Amino acid sequence: MPRMASDVLEEFLRQPHIGVLATLRRDGQPYTVPIWWLWQDGAFWLTGTTSRVWCRQLEHDRRASLCIEALQPVAGHVGVDGLVETKLLPDFDIWPISRQLVDKYVPDDPDAFFANMQTEPRLLFRLIPDVWRAIDMRVYEGKRADRDYQTRQER
């Protein structure tokens, strides 16, 4: 359960913070990559090209974690674990969500970026969170075990 008030969480998820996606290599070792993401309809949407390592890894193993951390406007952290669903053309129109990602992260010149994106072998992933970690650092008091330890040290 998030330790971030729901209104703060909603605002945090609207911001263009860069996330770090963790996928699994075939040998089970983790692989991380910075990524753009869009929170919409109860899922995180991610876009990539079919040749990217992390995209191929998600096609092989659907488990993923996404970590989003920021200092402004709210110092906080959101992390989720879950499974991804792959969305491909022509069965799924990837372009409306891809355009929203571009608008979020390239607000000054989205048209040129989006036009280039449409020339690539692109796909979308829908990450459905099973586990949430959300902390508003302005009100975070630490984990209970850490607070208990500090109290014992002060005696």
Side-chain angles (χ1 to χ4, degrees):
M1 179 160 161
R3 293 181 185 229
M4 189 180 277
S6 61
D7 60 326
V8 174
L9 178 61
E10 288 175 28
E11 179 58 30
F12 187 93
L13 294 176
R14 278 194 287 274
Q15 299 296 317
H17 307 305
I18 301 299
V20 176
L21 181 71
T23 59
L24 296 171
R25 295 179 172 111
R26 288 187 186 263
D27 66 2
Q29 290 294 312
Y31 178 87
T32 60
V33 62
I35 194 161
W36 293 355
W37 52 271
L38 179 70
W39 172 250
Q40 182 173 294
D41 299 327
F44 288 91
W45 292 88
L46 319 168
T47 186
T49 59
T50 56
S51 62
R52 292 199 177 137
V53 169
W54 65 270
C55 293
R56 292 193 316 266
Q57 289 167 342
L58 286 175
E59 298 253 297
H60 175 71
D61 188 327
R62 297 176 48 215
R63 294 176 293 170
S65 293
L66 177 64
C67 175
I68 305 158
E69 191 167 13
L71 296 175
Q72 296 293 331
V74 172
H77 164 255
V78 170
V80 297
D81 305 325
L83 297 176
V84 298
E85 298 173 350
T86 304
K87 302 293 187 179
L88 297 165
L89 290 168
D91 298 329
F92 186 87
D93 185 1
I94 67 170
W95 299 120
I97 291 173
S98 297
R99 178 60 197 228
Q100 289 178 54
L101 277 157
V102 171
D103 290 343
K104 179 178 180 180
Y105 287 96
V106 189
D108 294 335
D109 189 14
D111 294 336
F113 194 97
F114 185 63
N116 182 63
M117 183 185 255
Q118 292 176 294
T119 68
E120 302 170 327
R122 196 145 286 270
L123 67 163
L124 279 175
F125 293 100
R126 182 174 179 248
L127 172 57
I128 302 164
D130 290 327
V131 176
W132 280 87
R133 295 167 301 283
I135 298 172
D136 181 340
M137 294 305 290
R138 299 171 304 174
V139 296
Y140 183 65
E141 296 177 349
K143 292 184 179 182
R144 179 176 297 185
D146 294 339
R147 290 191 315 268
D148 291 348
Y149 174 81
Q150 291 168 354
T151 300
R152 286 191 307 275
Q153 295 303 311
E154 292 171 359
R155 291 184 193 155

